Amino acid sequence: MTDLKELYEAILKGNHNAALEVTKAALAENIQPKVLIDDYLIKAMEEIGRRFEQHKVFVPELLMAGRAMKMSLSLIQPLLKGENTSLMLGTVVIGTVKGDLHDIGKNLVGSMFEGCGFKVVDLGVDVDAEKFIGAVRENNASIVGLSALLTTTMPYMKSVIKALQDAGLRDKVKVMVGGAPVSEGFAREIGADGYSDSANSAVVKAKELLGVA
Ligand code: B1M
């Protein structure tokens, strides 16, 4: 029986080999992906973030923890993908906004969308408004998802919404925002259609916005 605390510790220590091993063992024991993600991976990232804030660890440790989390997720993500491709709820264009390189949460949200029957066009990190607009047009997207992890990059979400308006696309696409510093109030203030604080609730919110819930 795998001790899942080891997964938490492996992420925290940035030990990607251990993270891979424990994840593999846990999946072989049919432990639910959601349990691994919500109770161990995200908790470990929250703790490393806390330690960073308290100056107990520094950027290299954040990087190592991020890499270990990504390795573990690479084994879990295929299990989140939907098998029923005929279930096509819409296209989601997603990206982390300009100036921001954090992509773990955004990737998780993208995987969850895919797993629940959406086509996902992932633009990556440091994405500017022009790129979002091009992808929305090209893919006839029903949702554009903006992620930001820094208080300094959150305001750029408003710039993307303004650019969508200027491009005449604002009525054609729902805008969803998320990321640790983003709140419901901020989402309302910048004119987004939806906010969520997790990958699961992002999908619920998207379905609600499209009336396919
Ligand atoms: Co950075 N970092 N980081 N970092 N980093 C934070 C965000 C920070 C809070 C740490 C801290 O001080 N406690 C802090 C921001 C402070 C602030 O702005 N107020 C910070 C800082 C300061 C920085 C640098 C400036 C550090 C430096 O260089 N001095 C730098 C900035 C680089 C840049 O972006 N330009 C930096 C760099 C990095 C690394 C590269 C080392 C690494 C990122 C690796 C990567 O992503 N590939 C990193 C990491 C790992 C973190 C922490 C520790 C973890 C982030 C994470 O992956 N969380 C983070 C501390 C923390 O958040 N506790 C921190 C796990 C992830 C699953 O959660 O991303 O919140 P999250 O996503 C959730 C929800 O928010 C939501 O669903 C997800 C799944 O549940 N969600 C959405 C996310 N996007 C959504 C979109 C939606 C809906 C929901 O709709 C579209």
Side-chain angles (χ1 to χ4, degrees):
M1 186 76 178
T2 308
D3 178 3
L4 293 177
K5 192 92 202 321
E6 284 178 19
L7 179 56
Y8 175 89
E9 291 297 335
I11 305 287
L12 209 51
K13 288 184 187 138
N15 184 342
H16 64 272
N17 287 325
L20 273 176
E21 285 314 309
V22 186
T23 307
K24 254 187 229 159
L27 292 175
E29 287 170 20
N30 288 325
I31 293 171
Q32 288 302 303
K34 190 175 177 328
V35 171
L36 298 179
I37 293 172
D38 291 348
D39 298 350
Y40 297 93
L41 299 185
I42 291 182
K43 293 262 156 58
M45 294 312 281
E46 284 170 359
E47 178 56 24
I48 195 84
R50 256 191 303 275
R51 291 184 189 182
F52 178 73
E53 222 165 310
Q54 295 161 356
H55 308 291
K56 290 182 180 159
V57 300
F58 301 94
V59 174
E61 284 90 346
L62 283 194
L63 266 175
M64 285 164 69
R67 184 173 61 156
M69 166 128 179
K70 278 183 149 184
M71 300 283 255
S72 171
L73 268 183
S74 70
L75 296 179
I76 299 172
Q77 270 168 336
L79 304 175
L80 298 174
K81 294 200 195 314
E83 285 162 24
N84 186 354
T85 47
S86 63
L87 182 74
M88 175 43 82
L89 298 177
T91 299
V92 181
V93 164
I94 194 165
T96 304
V97 298
K98 188 172 154 186
D100 201 321
L101 304 176
H102 296 85
D103 67 354
I104 294 171
K106 181 264 297 165
N107 293 347
L108 211 45
V109 173
S111 295
M112 205 56 87
F113 270 119
E114 252 175 4
C116 294
F118 287 86
K119 178 184 166 197
V120 174
V121 179
D122 188 344
L123 302 179
V125 296
D126 192 21
V127 182
D128 64 20
E130 289 68 34
K131 202 164 173 195
F132 277 114
I133 284 170
V136 166
R137 271 216 182 94
E138 209 172 295
N139 297 284
N140 196 18
S142 32
I143 299 220
V144 58
L146 313 176
S147 184
L149 265 285
L150 298 171
T151 44
T152 49
T153 56
M154 277 165 67
Y156 192 73
M157 291 174 156
K158 191 173 178 184
S159 308
V160 177
I161 294 176
K162 165 88 170 50
L164 284 166
Q165 259 155 9
D166 294 347
L169 290 171
R170 186 63 189 94
D171 301 340
K172 298 187 173 65
V173 68
K174 300 287 182 195
V175 179
M176 284 193 56
V177 294
V182 179
S183 66
E184 184 90 57
F186 176 77
R188 249 197 318 272
E189 193 185 307
I190 63 168
D193 300 296
Y195 155 79
S196 78
D197 63 359
S198 74
N200 295 329
S201 58
V203 175
V204 173
K205 188 73 200 175
K207 287 183 176 173
E208 191 186 303
L209 290 174
L210 299 179
V212 294

